[in-house]
Amino acid sequence: MSSSPTMADVARLAGVSKKTVSNYFNGYRYLRDETKTRIADAVQQLNYKVNISARNLSSGRTGAIGLAIPELAHPYFSEFAQAVVAAAQRRSVNVLVEVTGGDREHELDVLSGGNGRAVDGIIFGPLALGADDIAAATVDVPIVLIGDRADSRRFDFVTVDNERGAYDATSHLIASGRRRIVGLGGEESEAPAAASLRSQGFRAALREHGISMDADLLTGPIPWTRASGAAAVQGLLDAGVEFDAVFGLNDALALGALSALLTRGIAVPAEVAVIGFDNVEEAQFASPALTTVDSGLNWVAERAVELLLSRISGEISGPTSEIADHRVVVRATA
């Protein structure tokens, strides 16, 4: 065996074909877990490194994918970007991250293939665009959509279960005896967006448990930030609105609400329970630790990379839509 192990060496040690090893590095989704494990063990034993330059030269690819998201300052997007980078690196693929700011023209530029992006495909989380915009895309590389603005006629789509996750979060509060629940950060819209979908789940849970919706307990639309969550709860307290729980439609809102309640000397969860959505890392280190919905961020990142690489390599046909599993993570606030 040569001092620099080859893909053939990996295949020989793992007991598979060279093509199977190539599929492994390209993120081919249909490999059996046992096969993936054998290849991974062989790679580790041989300390094999993919010759990215040679692979890209032979395939005509750049060896890089794009990730276009609204922002990086928000904990959810920063954690998602890190998860995408990690998933891509495991497959010896580079990631070029682009921040769109949720700006419509910038997002349209992504869909037009403008700005000279030297990538083989793009994971794209649009914020300002609708289904018609996405349907009219002229980009000439594969795209996997994340978020809520799906158009399965054109592109693969991976998302979280916003409506059901919000339903389960609200039901968790109701099961603990809460009846006056603040819906923090919701909005009413026909467009498929996280705020409207989570609002629908929140309302559905109240309705199905026989709890009438009090307009005083709805706060939104507001920015999904800690400052907005804190300000909204402070406003309710100043106005004398009575409530025994807060559902922040994302963790930032819930963490802001938690801070406002504790600052006012209100015991959480004895007097007011708080639950969030997304399970960002900060949630578990809050004091008290925040109960939240784990929306499957890491799975979405892994699956988006896997789908995109399979699409780039031509191993799948026809767009697919997939939804992550979710669960309520019970901690100290609810």
Side-chain angles (χ1 to χ4, degrees):
M1 187 176 296
S2 65
S3 58
S4 297
T6 66
M7 189 176 292
D9 295 328
V10 174
R12 189 178 303 109
L13 182 59
V16 299
S17 69
K18 186 176 175 181
K19 174 62 175 175
T20 300
V21 176
S22 177
N23 286 342
Y24 169 81
F25 283 113
N26 286 321
Y28 184 57
R29 64 178 294 194
Y30 296 111
L31 289 182
R32 292 185 300 173
D33 289 341
E34 178 187 355
T35 302
K36 292 179 181 178
T37 299
R38 292 209 312 271
I39 295 172
D41 289 344
V43 168
Q44 184 174 18
Q45 288 181 47
L46 295 171
N47 193 28
Y48 174 72
K49 304 295 183 184
V50 178
N51 187 333
I52 295 176
S53 296
R55 184 181 69 179
N56 295 340
L57 184 62
S58 65
S59 66
R61 299 176 191 153
T62 68
I65 61 174
L67 172 63
I69 51 178
E71 60 177 313
L72 281 174
H74 194 286
Y76 180 87
F77 288 116
S78 62
E79 290 183 24
F80 181 78
Q82 183 58 49
V84 167
V85 169
Q89 286 180 339
R90 286 193 293 272
R91 296 164 173 84
S92 300
V93 172
N94 295 320
V95 180
L96 304 181
V97 180
E98 180 173 354
V99 176
T100 66
D103 176 73
R104 175 176 171 78
E105 293 305 316
H106 196 152
E107 291 184 350
L108 286 173
D109 183 69
V110 173
L111 287 183
S112 71
N115 203 28
R117 296 172 183 83
V119 295
D120 300 319
I122 302 171
I123 297 171
F124 181 31
L127 193 62
L129 303 184
D132 291 342
D133 298 313
I134 294 169
T138 58
V139 65
D140 58 359
V141 297
I143 283 185
V144 173
L145 294 172
I146 58 167
D148 311 290
R149 288 156 175 77
D151 183 47
S152 58
R153 293 170 295 172
R154 289 291 309 276
F155 302 116
D156 298 308
F157 176 58
V158 187
T159 189
V160 304
D161 199 342
N162 286 296
E163 187 170 354
R164 186 69 196 186
Y167 176 94
D168 290 344
T170 309
S171 296
H172 175 79
L173 293 173
I174 294 170
S176 68
R178 314 294 170 155
R179 292 296 180 270
R180 290 189 57 78
I181 304 171
V182 175
L184 194 58
E187 66 179 52
E188 294 304 308
S189 171
E190 295 298 323
S196 59
L197 292 170
R198 294 180 190 183
S199 293
Q200 290 170 24
F202 170 66
R203 289 174 177 271
L206 294 177
R207 185 169 56 250
E208 292 185 20
H209 288 88
I211 300 175
S212 59
M213 185 68 256
D214 186 338
D216 289 341
L217 301 179
L218 296 177
T219 59
I222 57 175
W224 280 15
T225 64
R226 300 175 191 83
S228 293
V233 168
Q234 289 165 357
L236 292 173
L237 294 172
D238 290 342
V241 177
E242 295 184 359
F243 55 94
D244 56 15
V246 176
F247 171 34
L249 269 66
N250 78 339
D251 285 341
L253 287 166
L255 289 166
L258 177 62
S259 175
L261 291 167
L262 296 177
T263 299
R264 293 293 187 95
I266 297 172
V268 177
E271 295 178 81
V272 177
V274 180
I275 192 168
F277 197 116
D278 285 330
N279 196 29
V280 299
E281 185 178 18
E282 185 182 355
Q284 65 180 306
F285 296 108
S287 183
L290 180 67
T291 296
T292 184
V293 175
D294 186 329
S295 57
L297 177 154
N298 288 309
W299 182 89
V300 172
E302 185 79 24
R303 189 70 188 111
V305 170
E306 190 175 47
L307 269 176
L308 185 60
L309 295 181
S310 294
R311 182 68 64 189
I312 291 167
S313 61
E315 294 165 351
I316 55 176
S317 61
T320 181
S321 296
E322 300 189 20
I323 300 176
D325 291 333
H326 67 277
R327 63 189 178 94
V328 175
V329 180
V330 179
R331 296 194 179 106
T333 61

